[in-house]
Amino acid sequence: MILITQSNAYSYINLQTDLVGSVEREFSTSDFIFTGTLVEKRTTTNKGFRSPSSILIYTFRVLENIKGKIEAQDIKIISRINQNSCGDSFRIGESYLMYSKVSNDFPKIPNVEINLISGSCNRNQTLQSVKKEEMVQLHKLSKGLKKS
């Protein structure tokens, strides 16, 4: 006889542990974490670094700052167009949980204070699909930073 409830309970515990571990790893490697709504998206050519390629510059209206010092109402995120290079395609008007990093992989982009990158290799997701447990974990980790 197989007890499915034990198997499901075990799987649920593993999923919870995996979620906490994944969130902690992404939190520790991200410079900025925020929720925001995509308000603008433009394509530009990345000239002057390795090989010229098209990149996307996303402008997000910050809803909540979770990690990093974001003083502006809007923040720009750079992403490659090619998904094989961790590029991503966010939709205007959609709200997201965004994990981003400071990068020197691109030449200084005009009117952008810091080059922040993000894409499909990060835990980015639409705000409506974020699990409550992930936001709870992020807030705990963020409070831990503020106490330090």
Side-chain angles (χ1 to χ4, degrees):
M1 182 175 182
I2 297 173
L3 294 174
I4 294 174
T5 55
Q6 283 184 341
S7 176
N8 286 341
Y10 176 75
S11 295
Y12 178 76
I13 290 168
N14 281 341
L15 287 173
Q16 291 300 98
T17 303
D18 290 345
L19 175 72
V20 168
S22 295
V23 171
E24 285 178 354
R25 279 189 298 280
E26 195 74 26
F27 185 90
S28 68
T29 60
S30 295
D31 296 308
F32 291 87
I33 302 171
F34 65 94
T35 61
T37 303
L38 183 62
V39 294
E40 181 183 31
K41 172 173 146 177
R42 68 182 170 95
T43 305
T44 189
T45 302
N46 177 22
K47 299 175 188 168
F49 190 79
R50 295 184 190 152
S51 61
S53 62
S54 293
I55 56 173
L56 290 165
I57 301 175
Y58 296 102
T59 303
F60 287 89
R61 175 103 353 108
V62 177
L63 301 171
E64 179 186 7
N65 182 20
I66 298 169
K67 180 182 180 187
K69 191 172 184 179
I70 301 172
E71 294 181 5
Q73 180 181 4
D74 293 341
I75 189 168
K76 295 192 185 304
I77 301 288
I78 302 166
S79 184
R80 297 186 189 279
I81 288 180
N82 184 343
Q83 285 207 329
N84 293 335
S85 300
C86 295
D88 214 332
S89 184
F90 303 108
R91 292 182 302 276
I92 292 178
E94 190 85 45
S95 296
Y96 295 89
L97 169 61
M98 296 294 299
Y99 294 83
S100 59
K101 299 173 184 168
V102 174
S103 172
N104 295 318
D105 285 350
F106 302 97
K108 183 76 175 117
I109 295 175
N111 303 319
V112 175
E113 190 175 323
I114 311 170
N115 280 354
L116 292 177
I117 61 167
S118 196
S120 60
C121 295
N122 302 94
R123 285 188 61 83
N124 302 325
Q125 52 199 301
T126 60
L127 205 48
Q128 68 185 29
S129 67
V130 176
K131 292 186 168 129
K132 182 180 178 185
E133 295 85 358
E134 182 162 356
M135 291 305 289
V136 168
Q137 183 67 17
L138 285 171
H139 287 115
K140 281 182 188 176
L141 292 166
S142 180
K143 285 180 182 171
L145 276 182
K146 291 174 185 172
K147 290 179 183 177
S148 302

